Amino acid sequence: MKKPRAKSVILTGGSDSVPTDSPAPTSPSVILSEGGHIYDAPSNNNSVILSEGEPAPSSLPCATRAAVEGPCPLPSQRDSRPTTPFSKPAPAAQKHRGSAAPGKKSGRPAPTSPSVILSEGEPNQVAPRTDSPEPQSKNLAQFPPHENCAPRDVTAGPVPAAQKHEGSPSQKEKSFPSILRVVRKIEKKESENRPPRIDSFADFLLHHARVKSGPAYVPYHFHGREALEPIVAQLDSILESGLPDASLALCGGAQFGKTVLMLNLLAYLVAVKFRNVGYYLPDDDLVSGLVDGKLRPDVLGQVPWLAHLIAVGKTLTPTGRAVNRKGAFLCTDGARTALAFMRGLGKIPTSFSMDVVIQDEKDDLPEEHARFLSGRMTASNLRLSLIIGTQRYHGAGQNLAFTAGSQHIGLIACPGCAQRWNPETQWPGICRLRLEKKDEPDPKLTVEGNFLPPGGSDSVPTHSPAPSSPSVILSEGEPSHVAPRTDSPEPQSKNLAQFPALPTSALPTVTAGTALAAQKHGRETSTAHAANPNSEFRPSSFTSLPFLPPIPYALGQKYYLACPACGTELDRAHPEWHAQAPEKIAQRRFSYRLSQLLFPDIDLAQIVAAWQLAIRDPAQMNVFCTDRLALPRSSAQTLTPAILEAARARYALVQESPDETSSLNIYGGLDLGDQCWFVARSIDRRTDEVRLRWVEAIAAERVRSRVPELFRELKLTALCVDAGPLRDLSRDLAFLLNDLDHDADASGSDSSRNIFFSRGGVTLPLCWQAASERWLGVRCAPVEFTQREGQGLRHKVARTQDGRLYPLLGAHRDESIQRVISELWPAGEAGEIRVIDRPDGTPALRTGPRFRLPRATQESRGVLDLYERHLLAGSRQEPAAHGRALRYLDQCENHFLLATAYAALAELLSPPRATADEPNPLPAFRTIPERRRTHDLARGVSI
């Protein structure tokens, strides 16, 4: 006869279950109520299952029955004992089919009512009742605790091993009920899909986001990317404050994690903050690759509850209907709904409202479409704009977003001398080769790609400025790049002003080529001249240095960043953020520049290897500057901040007119539009030097009154005006400044003959010379870009619809812009040679740029920054429509550059006189009368 299996006591409510052959539990059986107490049942291997409606079998020991029904009654009192819901006989109709008689075993499965089963070492699991409307605690509360059953808290954990009852099954007989496994799986699934509490974006990154590390994913961390922590904190500050109209630009190098950071921010904003987000890329193909290659596997696929909330490829129509769309995301928790869009900016965005707009790869986004993105956030109370990408062009795109913000740059403090250095502007001298020798300093990287020991040289000497002056970075085939100081809030012009000009008689003629050769080989000056930068500089002042050969680049070398002043190793993991434009912080306009040198995760070995390619290929140099140093550089841009800085002279921008004995001629240019841009510049007839005299932005409504006022105050010789789009305004200025009112009569309208103008019998200075096809005595002329390349400036006779004549010029747009850019280049650039005449009549070769820019003052800093930004943006070139040539970029912020080009054309219109015996004639301004239709209209004369 087989030994019967041990039976456990399982309490159920509302079930007709009978004892079943279930494995004995490995821990003492317990009774659990919703009140939070567990009562240990006495040990009994012959216990049975009790169901509501059935009395407890008499075979139960008193100890067990007492735990269920109270004290055991006498045999004579059993029939008179009050019945309870659990002792009341159940109706026969409620009994399960196939139930066994009392005292017999049943072969049917275990009851389906929820049970309470606790095992040692397992967390307490409570299975809720599903077949009874009454709570389980109400049924269990009718059973008073046994005197041997001590209550304990549910939260107290598993039953201690010391309380294990005798007769427990062995380890081999242990088994886990299948129903408990199902319950645990369901609870685990629900906990994974339930959104946790997240307090900040940093909390989301550190505790939920994951990043790919090799073939596996690891939790997101800032180790090796410590420079990103203040940026994440800044984002949390913006979102926590709720202040609207904030902007943040991340202008960084390549592959440091800015795209993954923005994708996780997208998920955080949508799934945690429930904000509508628009993520815009240059084209839809890039959207597909980013969604399938990064967003789904690296972000949504790594956070289970996030994937449960967000439906990829779903969005809502304006009517609230869900539709399928690539790059759309719908997030809802049942009460709140948020939408996100990843779209290519191939057309103007419409229809959808957003709280946050993210522009990725700003330099590649069409500006004519991007300017409409701010209108998509009109209905939001946040209106946060984020711009990320690399900087490729000065004064445009991502670089424009950087200069328009706080301009935070990373500075690394030296533990030795306490000086702070910006590594990207100090490259390559800040990088050193780690050697085993400890008795001498390590060699530093040079522009030639090798490593030069301190004091060593392999070429000719060159003069180095004092340590407090701006560092000079020279690249092969390029003008000198003057990097502004990053450890001083003072403008660079003020720093340069501390060093007076050296005597020209003591200086040899230095061109860009000789300066490059000198910088390449890098010999330092003598100690005496370095200590006294104001002393006269002569080639003989160099000390004789020993010849130390450079160390060539080789694979396997170890590098580190060192202080350029004392050589102490710098810690890349702890940069300090310094705002170059702190006044923009109050405007909530933040911008950060992040080079790869600020991230210890990026090994310096690959940066040095990329430098070896950059110094041998100009195209690779462009890639190195943008991807590694996060500095804008493009061969399609003909002007750089270094060129503009080299063209700066020591004079201020003031609105003053020259005296009668001055040798200056002043010319003006006006670019028209909704906002008009005026530029005046002077030419010294003795030195042929051009200087900027005045710049001003004028509303179109004020042009008719303001421009004549500037003409008289500045004593302009001539003014060229944009012929379009405001053609009526340009014609009115031509009539007004040339003194051609309705009382002025022309001698004829045939351009093959000379044409003179007179009023009241007095001949006016303006006339048309047919032989040379040229206007003489002209003060103002509209300019239209209709000429082909190489045709130069063409004079035309223009007619209005009522037959009035006025001067008109035709020019080539790119040639006009190139004229201004060539004047800003240093001498010898692009093969341009300019000769000037000395006062004694002998010729001389110009050694500097012809066009000199003023130094910024407190009053003129804002307008000069805008002027130089227009110069940089307009100097960018792009392939023409036929693809065989480059043309200067149109439809960008280049208005001041065009106005300067018009001023340069005015110089050709009325060349400066050799002497100043007679002053410039000024027009007698009269009000413009109402237009009258004359008899010339009958002759069919038109423009």
Side-chain angles (χ1 to χ4, degrees), residues 360-502:
D360 199 346
E361 297 301 339
K362 176 66 175 177
D363 285 349
D364 297 327
L365 294 177
E367 187 61 30
E368 61 271 16
H369 297 162
R371 61 172 58 102
F372 289 93
L373 290 175
S374 59
R376 298 289 92 211
M377 299 185 290
T378 304
S380 172
N381 61 351
L382 182 61
R383 298 189 295 275
L384 174 61
S385 177
L386 303 174
I387 302 175
I388 64 173
T390 56
Q391 305 180 82
R392 294 202 301 270
Y393 307 106
H394 291 280
Q398 192 71 36
N399 182 252
L400 179 60
F402 175 73
T403 56
S406 57
Q407 301 181 37
H408 278 84
I409 58 174
L411 302 179
I412 303 179
C414 174
C417 62
Q419 296 191 54
R420 298 190 302 171
W421 304 94
N422 182 239
E424 55 262 28
T425 57
Q426 296 295 328
W427 184 269
I430 198 172
C431 180
R432 298 210 178 190
L433 173 64
R434 192 184 300 276
L435 298 179
E436 299 297 334
K437 300 180 180 180
K438 301 299 182 181
D439 53 344
E440 57 185 40
D442 292 331
K444 56 185 177 182
L445 183 63
T446 65
V447 294
E448 280 187 336
N450 50 32
F451 296 89
L452 190 65
S457 175
D458 59 345
S459 184
V460 296
T462 183
H463 168 61
S464 299
S468 59
S469 63
S471 58
V472 180
I473 303 175
L474 296 182
S475 301
E476 186 171 359
E478 287 201 348
S480 304
H481 178 84
V482 182
R485 291 187 58 192
T486 58
D487 55 346
S488 174
E490 298 179 356
Q492 185 178 2
S493 58
K494 185 173 181 180
N495 297 333
L496 293 176
Q498 301 175 5
F499 304 97
L502 299 174

Side-chain angles (χ1 to χ4, degrees), residues 12 16 23 41 84 126 297 326 338 343 360 391 456 479 570 578 604 622 624 659 689 699 712 743 824 859:
T12 63
D16 297 337
T84 63
V126 180
K326 183 71 173 181
R343 303 295 302 273
D360 199 346
Q391 305 180 82
L570 302 178
H578 170 72
L604 284 176
N622 296 339
F624 182 87
D659 54 25
E689 183 179 85
R712 297 198 61 162
D743 296 332
L824 288 167
E859 295 78 13

Side-chain angles (χ1 to χ4, degrees), residues 294-314:
K294 282 193 174 182
L295 181 63
R296 281 180 170 175
D298 297 348
V299 179
L300 303 181
Q302 302 304 315
V303 186
W305 61 265
L306 188 63
H308 176 72
L309 286 180
I310 295 181
V312 182
K314 294 285 187 180

Side-chain angles (χ1 to χ4, degrees), residues 496-795:
L496 293 176
Q498 301 175 5
F499 304 97
L502 299 174
T504 55
S505 59
L507 290 174
T509 301
V510 181
T511 63
T514 58
L516 174 62
Q519 175 67 16
K520 278 184 177 181
H521 304 291
R523 175 173 295 185
E524 300 179 355
T525 61
S526 63
T527 306
H529 187 79
N532 184 13
N534 297 330
S535 62
E536 185 177 357
F537 169 72
R538 296 182 183 276
S540 60
S541 63
F542 289 103
T543 58
S544 177
L545 298 176
F547 177 80
L548 296 177
I551 300 176
Y553 165 78
L555 295 177
Q557 294 174 336
K558 302 296 183 181
Y559 315 101
Y560 65 95
L561 298 185
C563 175
C566 65
T568 306
E569 184 172 356
L570 302 178
D571 185 8
R572 301 169 60 193
H574 297 88
E576 302 173 8
W577 287 106
H578 170 72
Q580 294 179 304
E583 67 276 4
K584 299 297 180 65
I585 298 178
Q587 305 174 16
R588 298 191 289 274
R589 303 177 70 178
F590 306 93
S591 59
Y592 294 82
R593 186 176 71 199
L594 302 100
S595 69
Q596 290 187 351
L597 299 175
L598 298 177
F599 296 92
D601 263 3
I602 302 178
D603 191 9
L604 284 176
Q606 60 172 303
I607 301 179
V608 175
W611 177 249
Q612 304 299 318
L613 300 176
I615 60 178
R616 291 167 173 82
D617 186 2
Q620 289 290 340
M621 180 63 75
N622 296 339
V623 176
F624 182 87
C625 290
T626 57
D627 288 356
R628 306 290 182 175
L629 303 182
L631 296 175
R633 180 187 170 105
S634 174
S635 57
Q637 197 162 24
T638 55
L639 287 181
T640 63
I643 295 177
L644 300 184
E645 188 64 33
R648 203 175 304 282
R650 295 179 181 176
Y651 73 94
L653 184 68
V654 293
Q655 182 180 348
E656 62 180 13
S657 57
D659 54 25
E660 301 298 337
T661 61
S662 175
S663 60
L664 300 180
N665 281 50
I666 302 180
Y667 300 91
L670 182 66
D671 185 41
L672 298 182
D674 295 336
Q675 184 87 349
C676 302
W677 314 84
F678 176 84
V679 169
R681 63 181 202 162
S682 63
I683 300 177
D684 194 331
R685 294 187 295 268
R686 294 172 300 183
T687 61
D688 195 44
E689 183 179 85
V690 180
R691 291 192 173 189
L692 188 65
R693 302 293 298 185
W694 191 250
V695 291
E696 183 177 344
I698 309 172
E701 294 80 8
R702 297 181 56 243
V703 167
R704 288 181 175 87
S705 60
R706 180 57 178 166
V707 172
E709 180 182 353
L710 290 173
F711 197 102
R712 297 198 61 162
E713 290 295 330
L714 297 173
K715 296 183 179 179
L716 297 184
T717 301
L719 173 70
C720 283
V721 185
D722 182 13
L726 305 179
R727 185 172 293 270
D728 291 342
L729 181 57
S730 62
R731 286 198 300 255
D732 289 347
L733 288 177
F735 290 137
L736 182 63
L737 298 180
N738 289 307
D739 207 8
L740 297 177
D741 56 10
H742 285 282
D743 296 332
D745 297 325
S747 60
S749 59
D750 187 4
S751 60
S752 61
R753 296 176 179 271
N754 294 341
I755 302 175
F756 300 93
F757 296 86
S758 61
R759 183 192 309 106
V762 179
T763 303
L764 300 178
L766 181 64
C767 69
W768 167 258
Q769 192 175 27
S772 60
E773 294 185 347
R774 183 180 182 87
W775 286 97
L776 301 179
V778 62
R779 298 191 186 102
C780 177
V783 179
E784 57 183 7
F785 293 129
T786 56
Q787 293 294 96
R788 293 184 178 181
E789 187 175 4
Q791 292 183 347
L793 185 65
R794 181 185 176 187
H795 293 233

